[in-house]
């Protein structure tokens, strides 16, 4: 039997240089907004899961600071060191297993580096990524998440499977679309994308995810507890999870969509999606480079999906809040469902700690309520 | 083959990241208060708990906090430990650290406790028992940091 | 399919000091995993999810799960879940495995608790960064000093003597003599043990820095129960709790206040009515020996202030009717995340009738605890029961 689980409230806050809040104050603000949106009080929450990394937060055991702010005070609490979608999965397990009726998930990515401009955030994220790679084989030779994206894009272009001009055009369209929603980059042309500073050849800076700072929260609930909420947003009809191969395994380069396909198979089976391209109204992808988009789409069995249904928010090249990205993709999907007056939507989220290497992918199927 | 050739190799691995940490609303105001020799607490609008160090939200009832007040820098020692073996980068041992309940608050402020001879462990432990009254001694040079209070001094016994 | 979660396999590696450790972190974890899989009678190809704990900043790689998981020989695309909650990380691993299994997400979950402390050149310097930055760290508060606050207040409130603490620490070292995976035993010199670190803690009451890894196979009872060839340990309660951030939130250092709250929840979940008589064996996280007294009380195993008397009467020793920390506890062996999971691992082997240390005959139900974070902000509790299949 598929458990009956819902998103009953959400909040998203993109954080800029103008904030005067300490990390925990930001988390409190966002989680309170999500609880208000859900019509749920803190004391109803039985489980508080956060997604964060000490090395962004500049504190050892940084969840010590953020857990009480995320409704975790005197609560069952856990911090996952991966994309916020993994934290969401853990919370869903708590609900599905019957341990709690309400859970909150917070994704926190506000690097403590003084300024939060895109380049500064990316610089720290890449620095931390280098510290996440193996210290003896990969780190000394300069491996970071962006480097894996550059390696992949170069291989695809060399093999004639992608063209630089097409990547630039697709990127410009996404950034421009995102500028009208939660995007952190202003609208651009394909020529501007192509002429942007080269980051990891062949990818220009604008082809990389739009590194940003943000905090997101969703409130989840089970069964009747959810349906009695004032504004249930979506039913979580299916989910699946899989982790990509490590550096030495050629699979991450040859078939970076493989983990997505494994996660998708399970999520769609649970949700009863058998003709996804016809059934899905929108999909939010974590295609970390434009050279990956087609492979991820295929892995999700969404080759036939109309272009306007893909990354309507602009996707990760419009706004990419690092480890909190999975929650932003969920929040954007809730908006897509509202715009479509219901239907079925797919969320694809993957962590970027080591780019394509050993990335954990989560696929969620949401149904509008 | 020599014995060392099969022993595990050791690599030096070092992390180096510079951070600039934002103190936010509550702690910025608190630290600036210390610079001006003021001990500031905040009180939850909803449940009346008074926090020192102050905070801008109450994790217990999960409401924002907007009420602030200045406290007399006097309180009661709840417990203390005397550190005879410190750590690299820390203060010179021995030193005493106390958990202090400032009068009128519902939390504990951690700080150094001074004015006690620490060379005799037993006598010092007796002098730093829970219930002892203490008062802040301000540092001469203040930089909006927790150490703007040099330490809390054990108050002379009341007659 | 939803089912009860049981621990079917436990894998320990021999504890030593990081200086003497010959194996790399990946090799140690692999060894622990191999032993756990063999113990459970489980094929590594059948693992659905691997949960790996770490403590960022203590290790050469941030998110150690990323570099450890590929070394375990698991099937391609096995989901890797990295967890870090500081000192309760290890306690969370079996609890989260239970959540995934009870939810029907997974049937076989591998929990890997690595040797966290092998990396840092100066571990104490790293641990000391755990006290709240800006507010409490500048005040000379390192880990031991945070740890000393509690027994200092406890002593004062209940009139417990230094001699009671020393008796407790000696009991645990004697227990460790019978645990082949223990690091410090009664071979520790009396002179060394008596050295004052931070009042009232003496060196013999403070845990060593150990190296070692522990792995568990946790599975759905109907799937893995029959494969193990020995009794398994059902997880009947899995709880955690978070206090406020700053040490000052603890309010009363003479007790672990939030443990009382968590214990009530755990006992409700596991239907424990009288913990004193219903537990056959207990392992409580005690990096500082006196914590054992305070935790026994917060867990309702005796009245507040009553724990030292139970020790003096022999109740909590081997042969007593409520043996506590027969493994020697964390006071004798602390390899980081592996130390945090060890109470669960030791209780599980007791309930299987295959105790790592001295076996409590007929043990059917046990309690395991872990704690950590700044001023012990976080705690976990796991209640386990023997299942014969
Ligand atoms: Zn309040």
């Amino acid at each position: 039997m598929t458990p009956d689980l819902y998103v009953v409230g959400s909040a998203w806050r993109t954080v800029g240089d103008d904030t005067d809040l300490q990390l925990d104050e930001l988390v409190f603000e966002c989680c309170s907004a999500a609880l208000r949106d859900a019509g749920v009080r803190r004391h109803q929450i039985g489980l508080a899961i956060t997604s964060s990394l000490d090395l962004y937060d500049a504190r050892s055991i940084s969840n010590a600071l953020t857990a009480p702010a995320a409704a975790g005070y005197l609560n069952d609490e856990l911090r996952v060191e991966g994309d916020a979608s993994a934290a969401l999965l853990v919370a869903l397990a708590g609900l599905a297993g019957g341990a709690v009726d309400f859970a909150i998930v917070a994704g926190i990515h506000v690097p403590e580096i003084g300024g939060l401009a895109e380049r500064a955030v990316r610089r720290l994220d890449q620095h931390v990524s280098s510290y996440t790679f193996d210290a003896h084989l990969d780190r000394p030779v300069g491996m970071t998440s962006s480097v894996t994206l550059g390696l992949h894009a170069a291989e695809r272009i060399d093999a004639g499977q992608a063209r630089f001009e097409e990547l630039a055009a697709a990127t410009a369209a996404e950034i421009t679309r995102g500028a009208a929603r939660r995007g952190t980059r202003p609208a651009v042309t394909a020529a501007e994308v192509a002429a942007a500073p080269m980051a990891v050849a062949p990818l220009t800076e604008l082809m990389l995810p739009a590194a940003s700072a943000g905090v997101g929260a969703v409130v989840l609930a089970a069964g009747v507890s959810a349906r009695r909420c004032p504004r249930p947003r979506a039913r979580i009809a299916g989910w699946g999870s899989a982790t990509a191969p490590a550096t030495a395994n050629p699979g991450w380069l040859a078939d970076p969509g493989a983990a997505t396909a494994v996660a998708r198979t399970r999520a769609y089976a649970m949700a009863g999606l058998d003709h996804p391209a016809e059934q899905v109204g929108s999909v939010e992808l974590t295609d970390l480079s434009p050279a990956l988009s087609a492979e991820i789409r295929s892995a999700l069995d969404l080759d036939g999906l109309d272009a306007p249904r893909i990354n309507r928010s602009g996707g990760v090249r419009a706004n990419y809040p690092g480890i909190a990205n999975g929650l932003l993709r969920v929040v954007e999907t809730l908006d897509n469902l509202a715009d479509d007056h219901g239907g079925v939507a797919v969320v694809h989220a993957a962590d970027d700690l080591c780019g394509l290497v050993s990335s954990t992918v989560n696929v969620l199927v949401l149904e509008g309520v | 083959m020599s014995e060392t050739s099969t022993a595990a190799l050791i690599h030096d691995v070092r992390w180096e990241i510079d951070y600039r940490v934002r103190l936010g609303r509550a702690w910025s105001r608190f630290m600036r208060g210390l610079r001006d020799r003021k001990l500031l607490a905040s009180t939850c609008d909803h449940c009346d708990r008074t926090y020192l160090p102050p905070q801008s939200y109450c994790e217990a009832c999960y409401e924002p906090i907007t009420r602030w007040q200045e406290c007399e820098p006097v309180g009661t020692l709840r417990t203390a430990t005397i550190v005879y073996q410190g750590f690299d980068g820390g203060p010179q041992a021995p030193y005493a650290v106390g958990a202090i309940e400032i009068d009128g608050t519902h939390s504990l402020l951690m700080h150094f406790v001074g004015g006690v001879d620490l060379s005799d462990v037993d006598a010092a432990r007796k002098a730093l028992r829970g219930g002892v009254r203490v008062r802040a001694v301000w540092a001469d040079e203040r930089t909006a940091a927790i150490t703007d209070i040099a330490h809390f001094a054990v108050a002379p016994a009341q007659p | 399919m939803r089912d009860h979660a049981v621990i079917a396999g436990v894998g320990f590696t021999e504890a030593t000091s990081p200086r003497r450790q010959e194996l790399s972190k990946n090799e140690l974890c692999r060894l622990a995993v191999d032993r756990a899989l063999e113990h459970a009678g489980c094929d590594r190809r059948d693992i659905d999810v691997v949960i790996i704990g770490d403590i960022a900043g203590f290790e050469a790689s941030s998110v150690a799960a990323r570099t450890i998981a590929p070394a375990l020989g698991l099937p391609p695309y096995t989901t890797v879940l990295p967890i870090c909650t500081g000192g309760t990380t290890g306690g969370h691993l079996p609890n989260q495995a239970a959540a995934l299994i009870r939810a029907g997400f997974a049937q076989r979950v591998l929990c890997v608790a690595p040797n966290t402390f092998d990396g840092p050149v100066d571990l104490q310097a790293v641990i000391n960064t755990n006290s709240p930055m800006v507010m409490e760290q500048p005040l000379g508060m390192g880990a031991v000093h945070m740890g000393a606050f509690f027994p200092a207040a406890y002593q004062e409130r209940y009139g417990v003597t230094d001699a009671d603490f020393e008796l407790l620490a000696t009991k645990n070292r004697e227990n460790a003599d019978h645990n082949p995976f223990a690091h410090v035993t009664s071979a520790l010199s009396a002179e060394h043990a008596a050295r004052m670190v931070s009042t009232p803690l003496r060196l013999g009451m403070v845990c060593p820095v150990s190296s070692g890894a522990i792995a568990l196979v946790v599975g759905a009872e109907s799937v893995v129960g029959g494969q193990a060839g020995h009794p398994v340990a059902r997880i009947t309660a899995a709880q955690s709790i978070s206090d406020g951030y700053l040490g000052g939130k603890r309010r009363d250092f003479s007790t672990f206040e939030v443990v009382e709250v968590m214990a009530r929840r755990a006992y409700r979940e596991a239907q424990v009515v009288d913990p004193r008589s219903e537990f056959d064996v207990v392992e409580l996280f005690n990096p500082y020996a006196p914590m054992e007294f305070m935790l026994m009380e917060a867990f309702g195993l005796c009245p507040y202030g009553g724990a030292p008397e139970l020790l003096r009467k022999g109740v909590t020793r081997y042969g007593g009717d409520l043996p506590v920390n027969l493994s020697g506890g964390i006071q004798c062996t602390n390899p980081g995340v592996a130390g945090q999971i060890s109470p669960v691992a030791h209780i599980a082997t007791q309930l299987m009738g295959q105790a790592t240390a001295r076996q409590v005959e007929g043990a059917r139900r046990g309690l395991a605890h872990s704690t950590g974070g700044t001023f012990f902000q976080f705690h976990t509790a796991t209640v386990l029961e023997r299942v014969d299949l």
Side-chain angles (χ1 to χ4, degrees), chain C residues 25 54 76 88 123 132 142 284 294 323 329 339 348 371 387:
Chain C
K25 189 181 298 241
D54 71 72
T88 49
L123 177 72
L284 303 171
M294 302 172 68
T371 177
V387 179

Side-chain angles (χ1 to χ4, degrees), chain A residues 60 74 76 79 81 266 358, chain C residues 54 66 84 105 130 240 242:
Chain A
S60 170
L74 301 187
D76 201 355
R79 187 260 296 268
E81 288 180 304
R266 182 153 186 197
S358 65
Chain C
D54 71 72
R66 306 300 289 257
C84 170
F105 272 28
N130 286 344
S240 78
S242 167

